[in-house]
Amino acid sequence: MPLIGVTAVLAALLVAVTVSQLRTTDTSGTPAEVEKRTFAPTPEAEREPYTPQDAALVAVADPAVSTIQDGVVVAELAPHDLPGFELLGVTWTDGVPADVSEVQVRWQQDGQWSAWTILDPGAEPGEGGIPGTEPKWVGPSQAAQARVVARADIDPAGLTLVTVAPGESPTFTQAAISQPNIISRAQWGARAYGGAGCGSAPSTSTFQGTIVHHTAGSNNYTAAQSAGIVRAAQAYHMDGQRWCDIGYNFLVDRYGQIFEGRAGGITNTPYGAHAGNTEVNKHTTGVSLMGEFTSAVPPDAMKNAVVQLVAWRHSLFNTPAKGAYSIGGVTIQRIDGHRSVKATACPGQQVFNWLPTMRDQVETAMSANQIYGAIGSHWNARGGAAGPIGPPTSPQVAVGSGALQRFQNMDLWWTADRGVIEVRGTIRTEFRAVGETASGLGWPLGPEYAVAGGAYQDFQGGRIFAFPATGTFAIAAPMYDAHEKVGNVGGELGWPTSRAARLGTGSVQRFQNGSVYSPDNVSAVAIGGEIEDLYESKGGPDGIGWPTSEVVKDSAGSHVAFQAGWIQQTAQATTVVAGLIGRMYVQSGAVDGPLGAPTGPERAVGTGFVQDFQGGQIQVWPEAAVTVPANVSAVHQELGGPTGLLGWPRTGAVSTGGTSVRQTFQSGLVYAESPASAAFSVRGSVLMMFNRFGGEAALGRPTSPESVTSAVYRQEFQDGGIYLPVSGAPGLSVTGPIWKLYRSSGSDGNANLGYPTGMPTAVGGSTRQVFSASTFYARPAGTYIVRGYLRTLYGSFGGDAGRMGLPTESERAVGSGAVQKFDGGTLWVSPAGATATWGAIQAEYLRRGGPTGSLGWPVGREVTGTGQWSQKFQNGTLVLSANGTYSVR
């Protein structure tokens, strides 16, 4: 049926929301009277069958609904004469499952019994109440009967027939109002909300939609009887089902009268008890059409009133007339019938068929450029069309759980929790441009604020900043979070100079002093100053990727890590580390690792690239990518770097025990004992000899750089030395105990020792090595040097192959001379001469005090004569006779 004049009516009534005002002449009336008759289940043995013939005689409200055709009558209340009543229903405490049971009643009017009639199952029990059927309005009646038809195994409990006489209504006259005329609870004689466990009437601020019902009673009632029907329904719900109040929020009669139902206020959303679903009861309004509309069509007056009521209710909460939503485990329309929530014939097929048209009619009533609800109140408080907001330029529309209406100078946004918020000027222009609430900004949270020569406004997901010098731009998450972290417009970035723009897989937003970069539109980093300048010069995200860290203060200054690089800022410079070098740098710990901060940009060298750091270098060439520690790098650079004597590194620095490391280059090795110690290279011919003589296992690590004298190229190691004659003769090594003594005695830096001229050789269980100015002997008892004139003298006696044999000590000073002992005797060198002593004469000489005794230094060799042996000394000649006596001549 068409909505008659609804737009014209609602144009006035939706401008403001007020509680109905009525002039009452009698507010007392008489209360409804309730009668209850309990009845017990019939014993199983006595239960009579219920046949298809019996079912054919039962009045069915909706022929399309299947009914029980074959069962038993499990309980029956015999016909009872009752005080006059006009509404009846049946309640129980247990055992009447709706899917396999039917509750049937009949009633007597003017001596005539009605047919058995099936009552609709009611809403699920709530508020501590009990289950029961929907109440049925039957008009003035004098007797009633009830029965339960079901399977034989059903055993109901607590069955009660409830009949209600409505009492007398208060009298009133209606006054003109700007909302639908609503008959208040006081006017129709409602009882107060309450009962055991009820407390005060609860309500919610969230309104989701409307559920339409019918009372399933007679359509043959007068306008004057309607209040009685409402009172009777309340009495049935409260006294029969033990609810706290009538279940519906509003009831509408066939004459267009609207009755306030459940307590809590007509402009609020009190919890109802109408839908059989707790969440639906909490967040919807239950509107019940008074009558039975399975086959009967609701009259126009009733429809018009329902449209006006529902349009007004939805406008109060800015809830659209159309659209599906999910609640309490069901998905329903904003305006829907009870049967969409649970299995029931309610609100009757004819009302259900009308619902699509009703939604159109409600939407039409809400769609004009009307100013109503909270937005209307705010607009009026600000001076209406003549105020700063100006006249409306669009209708009020639902947006999510709120509403929007546009005006000449502002847009007004409303939600239940935040109220009405104004968005104006260039901020409004920008908000519209980015998509308003559909954008990352979401809903406005508060008014516009002035700050530092500009203005801003907060939104759920960010802010919009307006600054004359830069423009007005939105900053949404995640850009907003990064901007806030650095102090927003008062911080290092300043005011935005652009909106966020897509860039590859992410986005970037520019500011006065920097930019915010978001690689994934989830996280974001603010970068400014020299770091950003260098980043952009390297191609930004297309160059070294997106930032993966914020600007981080560190021991050298500050840095930002990127997907493919690192930018470090120090007091001296801002440097990028990128590509393979960048990855290696980050893997090594970057600025907090052994390399520290970069000290220069990457540079091309020969066939590769090198970058300098506080703690060394990273060198990349076609065969390897290697980190070179600072002390190793220093040696490498002294020798010409990658294009010099050592060439490119082949390996990284590897441990050789403790803190020492070795690094291999194309043409040599570099050793360092610790990160802070000097490093030494081993290269060229010395490296060849090093490897030939057993390398590190035999010689240990180098302890000095390679050096050259007029005679040899030389390098010292922990356990030996390598010497290469400049003449081109084969290289030589000095190792073992000979090396230890040679090194401790000054090695070739000691002119009395010289440099090696041969490799060690074995001599009589000992090792001999000849040097240019000395000869070394390593014996089990010790290592000894024969040098200078003593070596010459030793040689005159045949050396180690002669009479003297091997040394048993090194040269030692005695007085003004020098002495050295050997296995076969002693060599003596003094100003008096150079000679040797041995055998018995040496023994007697030493017994007489040696060179400090009476004889003084020897000045000649032992002479053999006939029957005697003699040797000349400074102070005489010592003679050994054949008879074993000694004499001095």
Side-chain angles (χ1 to χ4, degrees):
M1 298 294 288
L3 177 62
I4 302 173
V6 69
T7 302
V9 172
L10 289 179
L13 71 89
L14 294 179
V15 170
V17 178
T18 59
V19 178
S20 176
Q21 301 294 319
L22 301 168
R23 294 195 305 273
T24 303
T25 57
D26 176 9
T27 60
S28 57
T30 58
E33 297 180 0
V34 178
E35 289 287 333
K36 298 181 181 180
R37 296 289 189 273
T38 61
F39 58 107
T42 304
E44 288 191 26
E46 301 175 13
R47 294 178 178 178
E48 296 185 2
Y50 181 79
T51 66
Q53 291 77 19
D54 296 323
L57 301 176
V58 175
V60 180
D62 188 350
V65 177
S66 61
T67 59
I68 294 175
Q69 300 294 308
D70 189 9
V72 296
V73 178
V74 298
E76 184 169 5
L77 175 68
H80 270 68
D81 290 332
L82 297 165
F85 66 92
E86 298 183 27
L87 179 144
L88 78 170
V90 176
T91 64
W92 56 88
T93 57
D94 195 17
V96 186
D99 54 340
V100 295
S101 306
E102 288 178 0
V103 178
Q104 301 177 2
V105 295
R106 63 176 186 155
W107 56 93
Q108 187 183 68
Q109 292 178 330
D110 299 328
Q112 297 294 317
W113 282 94
S114 70
W116 283 104
T117 300
I118 299 173
L119 297 181
D120 284 346
E124 297 295 329
E127 305 178 327
I130 59 175
T133 67
E134 292 285 358
K136 185 172 186 67
W137 178 263
V138 296
S141 303
Q142 298 80 40
Q145 185 177 4
R147 68 184 182 186
V148 178
V149 177
R151 295 192 315 244
D153 60 338
I154 297 302
D155 192 20
L159 290 165
T160 303
L161 172 67
V162 181
T163 58
V164 183
E168 297 296 327
S169 303
T171 59
F172 57 86
T173 59
Q174 297 182 351
I177 56 173
S178 59
Q179 65 178 36
N181 287 331
I182 299 175
I183 298 170
S184 70
R185 289 168 59 86
Q187 290 160 351
W188 58 260
R191 289 158 56 185
Y193 177 95
C198 288
S200 58
S203 64
T204 178
S205 61
T206 305
F207 173 77
Q208 299 278 26
T210 297
I211 303 299
V212 180
H213 304 260
H214 71 166
T215 60
S218 170
N219 294 327
N220 297 319
Y221 58 86
T222 66
Q225 291 177 304
S226 294
I229 296 173
V230 177
R231 281 196 305 279
Q234 184 192 38
Y236 176 74
H237 286 162
M238 295 180 72
D239 298 327
Q241 292 192 272
R242 304 175 191 171
W243 291 357
C244 299
D245 200 352
I246 189 169
Y248 309 117
N249 298 98
F250 296 92
L251 299 93
V252 182
D253 72 6
R254 60 186 296 103
Y255 304 101
Q257 295 185 108
I258 303 173
F259 293 85
E260 177 186 4
R262 177 156 281 229
I266 61 174
T267 59
N268 299 322
T269 306
Y271 293 1
H274 57 85
N277 181 304
T278 300
E279 290 301 307
V280 176
N281 283 338
K282 286 182 179 180
H283 300 290
T284 65
T285 289
V287 177
S288 187
L289 281 64
M290 296 166 60
E292 170 68 57
F293 300 106
T294 300
S295 56
V297 176
D300 287 347
M302 174 179 274
K303 288 182 176 180
N304 291 344
V306 170
V307 168
Q308 293 179 41
L309 172 65
V310 173
W312 173 69
R313 285 288 298 172
H314 280 238
S315 71
L316 281 177
F317 297 95
N318 297 288
T319 302
K322 295 180 180 178
Y325 66 106
S326 296
I327 184 173
V330 296
T331 299
I332 56 178
Q333 297 295 313
R334 291 292 179 181
I335 301 171
D336 216 331
H338 188 192
R339 68 169 63 175
S340 296
V341 179
K342 63 170 292 182
T344 176
C346 182
Q349 190 61 48
Q350 294 301 320
V351 173
F352 200 79
N353 292 344
W354 173 58
L355 288 180
T357 301
M358 175 189 171
R359 295 183 192 111
D360 290 339
Q361 293 168 336
V362 171
E363 186 176 63
T364 299
M366 297 173 67
S367 66
N369 287 359
Q370 298 162 355
I371 310 168
Y372 53 88
I375 288 178
S377 299
H378 182 87
W379 183 71
N380 283 322
R382 294 274 277 152
I389 298 173
T393 59
S394 76
Q396 188 171 141
V397 294
V399 179
S401 60
L404 160 68
Q405 190 160 9
R406 303 191 191 282
F407 294 81
Q408 188 176 67
N409 302 321
M410 300 182 193
D411 292 343
L412 300 186
W413 295 82
W414 173 88
T415 57
D417 56 340
R418 286 182 293 274
V420 177
I421 297 175
E422 299 173 353
V423 182
R424 62 177 184 157
T426 58
I427 291 180
R428 175 172 76 165
T429 302
E430 177 70 357
F431 190 40
R432 288 182 179 181
V434 299
E436 296 179 318
T437 56
S439 72
L441 286 174
W443 286 79
L445 297 178
E448 177 182 311
Y449 294 98
V451 58
Y456 73 90
Q457 190 160 6
D458 287 320
F459 295 80
Q460 287 174 311
R463 279 180 175 166
I464 294 179
F465 287 94
F467 190 59
T470 59
T472 301
F473 299 104
I475 308 178
M479 309 300 196
Y480 169 77
D481 301 320
H483 187 230
E484 285 297 301
K485 187 172 285 188
V486 297
N488 65 58
V489 295
E492 60 192 54
L493 288 179
W495 293 85
T497 59
S498 76
R499 196 181 296 152
R502 296 288 299 179
L503 183 62
T505 60
S507 56
V508 62
Q509 187 162 10
R510 307 295 183 186
F511 295 80
Q512 288 174 305
N513 305 312
S515 301
V516 174
Y517 298 86
S518 174
D520 51 11
N521 299 310
V522 175
S523 59
V525 174
I527 306 174
E530 292 182 8
I531 291 180
E532 188 198 15
D533 293 342
L534 182 56
Y535 178 47
E536 289 294 330
S537 74
K538 296 298 180 181
D542 293 332
I544 60 173
W546 294 93
T548 58
S549 79
E550 299 174 342
V551 177
V552 179
K553 299 293 185 183
D554 57 46
S555 57
S558 58
H559 69 264
V560 178
F562 297 86
Q563 291 171 322
W566 180 283
I567 294 181
Q568 180 74 45
Q569 185 172 25
T570 67
Q572 291 74 37
T574 300
T575 309
V576 65
V577 188
L580 177 56
I581 291 178
R583 291 194 296 275
M584 293 178 62
Y585 179 58
V586 172
Q587 290 169 2
S588 73
V591 70
D592 295 321
L595 286 172
T599 57
E602 177 183 310
R603 65 186 189 279
V605 177
T607 59
F609 297 89
V610 176
Q611 187 158 9
D612 295 312
F613 298 86
Q614 291 170 324
Q617 292 180 327
I618 294 178
Q619 300 185 14
V620 177
W621 62 298
E623 294 187 23
V626 176
T627 296
V628 183
N631 48 359
V632 175
S633 174
V635 171
H636 188 214
Q637 296 307 306
E638 286 175 7
L639 297 174
T643 59
L645 296 176
L646 287 173
W648 289 95
R650 292 190 180 278
T651 69
V654 296
S655 174
T656 58
T659 61
S660 63
V661 295
R662 177 188 66 243
Q663 189 154 14
T664 303
F665 292 79
Q666 285 177 299
S667 301
L669 304 172
V670 177
Y671 287 85
E673 289 302 300
S674 71
S677 69
F680 305 107
S681 68
V682 184
R683 58 186 177 82
S685 297
V686 172
L687 176 62
M688 293 174 59
M689 294 299 101
F690 178 67
N691 292 328
R692 178 181 297 173
F693 295 139
E696 192 176 322
L699 295 169
R701 300 181 292 274
T703 58
S704 71
E706 178 184 321
S707 61
V708 63
T709 69
S710 61
V712 292
Y713 295 95
R714 59 182 294 280
Q715 188 163 10
E716 294 184 355
F717 297 81
Q718 291 171 313
D719 300 320
I722 292 176
Y723 295 84
L724 290 159
V726 296
S727 64
L732 304 169
S733 67
V734 183
T735 60
I738 292 177
W739 167 250
K740 290 181 181 179
L741 182 56
Y742 181 55
R743 188 179 188 185
S744 65
S745 300
S747 63
D748 65 315
N750 184 342
N752 293 320
L753 300 179
Y755 54 87
T757 57
M759 291 295 292
T761 57
V763 177
S766 300
T767 300
R768 177 189 66 205
Q769 188 164 12
V770 179
F771 294 77
S772 61
S774 61
T775 302
F776 281 67
Y777 291 87
R779 305 188 66 185
T783 303
Y784 312 113
I785 305 170
V786 182
R787 66 181 183 90
Y789 189 73
L790 280 171
R791 185 172 78 154
T792 303
L793 182 61
Y794 181 51
S796 70
F797 286 100
D800 51 54
R803 181 185 182 100
M804 302 305 293
L806 297 174
T808 60
E809 67 176 2
S810 293
E811 173 188 326
R812 55 190 173 84
V814 176
S816 59
V819 180
Q820 188 166 8
K821 290 182 180 180
F822 294 84
D823 287 333
T826 304
L827 294 179
W828 307 85
V829 177
S830 72
T835 190
T837 61
W838 57 76
I841 288 181
Q842 176 179 277
E844 180 64 15
Y845 173 58
L846 293 176
R847 188 182 68 78
R848 292 172 181 261
T852 59
S854 60
L855 291 172
W857 291 90
V859 296
R861 297 185 183 187
E862 180 179 313
V863 177
T864 302
T866 302
Q868 66 177 19
W869 296 267
S870 64
Q871 187 165 3
K872 188 177 182 180
F873 294 86
Q874 283 179 307
N875 300 320
T877 300
L878 180 65
V879 179
L880 169 62
S881 299
N883 61 5
T885 61
Y886 292 93
S887 62
V888 177
R889 298 176 186 171

